[in-house]
Amino acid sequence: MKAENNCIVIFGASGDLTHRKLIPALYNLYKIGRLTENFSVLGVARSELNDETFREKMRNALIEHEKANGAMLDKFCSHLYYQAVNTSDARDYGKLVPRIDELHDKYQTCGNTLYYMSTPPSLYGVIPECLAAHGLNTEEYGWKRIIVEKPFGYDLKTAHALDIQIHRFFEEHQIYRIDHYLGKETVQNLLVLRFSNGLFEPLWNRNYIEYVEITGAESIGVEDRGGYYDGSGAMRDMFQNHLLQVLAMVAMEPPAIINANSMRDEVAKVLHCLHPLNQEDLKNNLVLGQYVKAEINGETVAGYLQEKGVPEDSNTETYMALRCEIDNWRWAGVPFYVRTGKRLPVRVTEVVIHFKTTPHPVFSKSAPENKLIIRIQPDEGISMRFGLKKPGAGFESKEVSMDFRYADLASPSLLTAYERLLLDAMKGDATLFARTDAVHACWKFVQPILDYKAERGRVYEYEAGTWGPTEADKLIAKAGRVWRKPSGAMKKKV
Ligand code: NDP
Ligand code: BG6
């Protein structure tokens, strides 16, 4: 289904996200026919660009990131426009009114407008107010939607304040809080795997599942985002949003029907059931780490404190591992081990469901563990691990696997996360966007962890290129378990 005719106004159009993700996503949607000819993009930022210089900048980005060329590239770029605005001065937004009107007329977009806030987060409360000062938020003529980039707040209090601020000018149905993990095909596939197969659902509970591991590992460091990252850390950057959303997909109840509200009701419900962690729980169940200089494949890699924009005495965590539980009938007593970090050995996001073993091992000293590994990225796929007889005499069992690689299904029209989410926002489908109650529940769970860290959370060192501090191994070893150490590719057995 195509997007509706509309004008997309991107605030922060001279920035990194716009040229690296948003414009390429729109280009690809256009290329595969998901945008009508009646769309336009109005870039907005303080930089003194004009339509021509903005087009040139975006054209170069598309050539670099998408290997775009030819008539398609020219045609797409002709839909791009730019208006310089002082983004924190409401009066200056007056310049947007004639520009947006002109684009609606030219492209017959019936007043439909999608605003995208891709600016520093300090402006997420300011932009809606400035738009409202010129009536650019009202839905008398066409719909008005606003996409809010992450981070949505800095903690529970600021997230709440931001919500109030945006709600003063936009209603909840107009607000699209983006979490690009929800746009990932394999995250959505988790739902299909769970809810469309009779095989898994009866086993998906505390009776059959021993524990769940969720890993969001990155091999890169903070690169040139040290300034931003130091005020954020792994907890705010990855855990509070992306990984808790993945956890919710693993743990939520099946919605009665698939629509934005019923799906988001179930997500919010399970996030509200996260067992609140007190100081004592955190002492035993949380490990924070920071990478230090090391040699990887013969090359010296800088430690976090040597990264550009990072204060030399920073205590920001680049790694965290947490054991948590969900207080409901399905999950009571089942540990969820969640970890994320920068400069780990490989880039991999995966969920591992560890099933309970047989009550009595018949064939060997210990029965093989059954695992379902859901690989979110890269090399997306699903692997079922179970025990079979070792060929030859006796009845010794060994672990074997049945693997499915998502690439085998992929069609050329598979959408990337930003493509999918932009298209959904243009269609008015908010299913894959975080609702206010879910964001609030995530912050409510994370706030005590942030407080604990601020007061007494020790940040352990780990060498770049390793699987985090040894304390994280001890955390999971308390229950006689070990972290899975995945390789980069699904097909290679580890
Ligand atoms: P950049 O710093 O590269 O860009 C910020 C943009 O905001 C620029 O276009 C800047 O242009 C504009 N801007 C407007 N007003 C101000 C102001 N008062 N101060 C500073 N800049 C201003 O950021 P990114 O593009 O990387 O990120 C944008 C948002 O998206 C951030 O909130 C970030 O957290 C989020 N995000 C980014 C990701 C990424 O991969 N880059 C990933 C996920 C989220 P000008 O100076 O011309 O006004
Ligand atoms: C972003 C974080 O939201 O997600 C980055 O700010 C992180 O620090 C990125 O690298 C990871 O996204 P992906 O899609 O590469 O797993």
Side-chain angles (χ1 to χ4, degrees):
M1 198 175 133
K2 283 187 192 231
E4 287 176 58
N5 299 349
N6 75 115
C7 170
I8 305 154
V9 180
I10 303 179
F11 291 94
S14 58
D16 173 77
L17 187 68
T18 302
H19 76 79
R20 232 169 24 84
K21 298 279 185 188
L22 305 183
I23 293 293
L26 291 168
Y27 172 74
N28 286 326
L29 289 173
Y30 182 66
K31 204 168 79 176
I32 60 172
R34 295 295 193 101
L35 298 185
T36 67
E37 284 300 328
N38 296 60
F39 86 96
S40 58
V41 175
L42 179 64
V44 178
R46 295 168 308 177
S47 303
E48 288 297 336
L49 302 175
N50 56 34
D51 292 348
E52 277 320 306
T53 47
F54 180 61
R55 279 179 195 163
E56 200 48 36
K57 211 167 136 60
M58 296 305 118
R59 167 188 287 277
N60 291 339
L62 288 169
I63 294 170
E64 184 189 338
H65 301 301
E66 301 300 317
K67 311 271 170 283
N69 58 36
M72 182 61 76
L73 177 61
D74 293 341
K75 247 168 91 182
F76 174 80
C77 288
S78 71
H79 290 258
L80 306 181
Y81 300 84
Y82 184 86
Q83 178 62 53
V85 165
N86 179 357
T87 7
S88 41
D89 178 359
R91 280 168 306 175
D92 220 31
Y93 281 60
K95 291 178 187 158
L96 291 179
V97 178
R99 288 308 304 271
I100 294 177
D101 282 351
E102 177 198 319
L103 292 174
H104 284 319
D105 282 350
K106 179 165 181 184
Y107 292 98
Q108 295 155 28
T109 31
C110 310
N112 295 335
T113 316
L114 179 65
Y115 300 109
Y116 197 119
M117 294 197 283
S118 176
T119 60
S122 54
L123 290 172
Y124 294 169
V126 176
I127 293 169
E129 183 167 6
C130 296
L131 289 172
H134 297 274
L136 291 167
N137 58 336
T138 61
E139 295 198 299
E140 280 147 25
Y141 173 54
W143 50 255
K144 306 288 178 300
R145 299 179 188 138
I146 189 157
I147 299 186
V148 191
E149 250 306 336
K150 64 163 278 217
F152 197 91
Y154 187 71
D155 53 19
L156 182 59
K157 206 168 131 206
T158 51
H160 189 58
L162 178 58
D163 232 5
I164 292 175
Q165 176 71 358
I166 301 178
H167 277 136
R168 283 175 58 207
F169 309 104
F170 285 84
E171 290 178 32
E172 182 62 23
H173 77 269
Q174 297 175 279
I175 305 170
Y176 289 67
R177 298 170 193 80
I178 206 161
D179 183 319
H180 78 279
Y181 266 55
L182 292 179
K184 287 184 193 279
E185 192 73 25
T186 28
V187 173
Q188 296 151 37
N189 196 36
L190 242 166
L191 299 181
V192 179
L193 174 81
R194 285 192 54 198
F195 302 142
S196 68
N197 293 296
L199 171 66
F200 296 114
E201 193 47 27
L203 305 179
W204 212 265
N205 57 55
R206 67 183 184 287
N207 297 324
Y208 298 97
I209 293 178
E210 184 73 21
Y211 67 104
V212 177
E213 240 182 296
I214 300 177
T215 299
E218 294 187 88
S219 51
I220 53 168
V222 293
E223 302 192 297
D224 52 2
R225 297 171 73 216
Y228 148 78
Y229 193 88
D230 200 61
S232 170
M235 214 176 321
R236 291 185 173 94
D237 187 51
M238 288 289 291
F239 178 76
Q240 181 273 335
N241 36 61
H242 306 327
L243 294 187
L244 283 182
Q245 292 292 343
V246 171
L247 181 147
M249 297 279 171
V250 174
M252 69 191 263
E253 293 301 316
I257 43 167
I258 295 288
N259 68 27
N261 266 338
S262 54
M263 277 273 295
R264 301 196 303 171
D265 285 346
E266 297 306 334
V267 168
K269 253 193 247 169
V270 75
L271 291 169
H272 279 299
C273 292
L274 281 165
H275 181 79
L277 298 166
N278 62 29
Q279 299 254 323
E280 197 52 30
D281 296 329
L282 289 165
K283 202 168 111 198
N284 298 318
N285 294 310
L286 171 72
V287 172
L288 303 172
Q290 190 183 80
Y291 62 84
V292 295
K293 186 163 110 180
E295 220 172 72
I296 304 178
N297 299 331
E299 268 186 43
T300 303
V301 168
Y304 178 68
L305 297 182
Q306 290 88 52
E307 301 278 20
K308 206 170 93 206
V310 174
E312 55 189 29
D313 59 348
S314 168
N315 195 38
T316 295
E317 78 286 354
T318 59
Y319 175 97
M320 76 170 277
L322 180 75
R323 177 192 183 283
C324 53
E325 289 188 19
I326 298 171
D327 291 338
N328 65 15
W329 276 34
R330 187 186 283 269
W331 295 111
V334 178
F336 281 71
Y337 294 95
V338 187
R339 64 180 165 161
T340 180
K342 300 252 183 220
R343 281 276 181 238
L344 300 186
V346 285
R347 173 178 183 248
V348 61
T349 306
E350 66 171 30
V351 175
V352 187
I353 310 291
H354 295 261
F355 291 95
K356 291 190 170 168
T357 52
T358 55
H360 172 64
V362 179
F363 297 117
S364 44
K365 278 195 205 103
S366 57
E369 199 198 40
N370 297 158
K371 288 194 277 273
L372 180 68
I373 302 168
I374 302 160
R375 175 65 72 92
I376 289 167
Q377 64 184 18
D379 197 19
E380 295 82 350
I382 292 174
S383 174
M384 184 77 217
R385 304 280 164 95
F386 51 96
L388 272 189
K389 183 180 168 302
K390 244 189 193 168
F395 283 98
E396 209 181 321
S397 70
K398 66 175 266 198
E399 190 187 77
V400 295
S401 72
M402 268 166 45
D403 299 335
F404 157 73
R405 295 181 63 219
Y406 212 66
D408 298 341
L409 268 192
S411 70
S413 62
L414 199 71
L415 302 180
T416 64
Y418 275 100
E419 288 162 16
R420 170 71 198 259
L421 294 172
L422 276 163
L423 184 61
D424 281 2
M426 288 185 261
K427 291 192 304 192
D429 182 351
T431 310
L432 299 175
F433 291 84
R435 204 171 59 187
T436 177
D437 48 354
V439 174
H440 191 262
C442 290
W443 277 121
K444 199 166 160 215
F445 177 67
V446 167
Q447 189 60 53
I449 316 179
L450 292 171
D451 295 343
Y452 174 83
K453 196 224 145 182
E455 284 162 29
R456 51 196 280 222
R458 177 159 172 205
V459 178
Y460 296 95
E461 291 183 349
Y462 63 97
E463 283 190 9
T466 66
W467 279 104
T470 51
E471 282 72 16
D473 297 333
K474 292 182 197 152
L475 164 69
I476 198 168
K478 285 180 198 160
R481 298 169 181 143
V482 287
W483 294 106
R484 200 178 107 80
K485 295 198 165 59
S487 68
M490 196 66 170
K491 50 191 179 288
K492 281 190 218 141
K493 191 161 176 304
V494 286

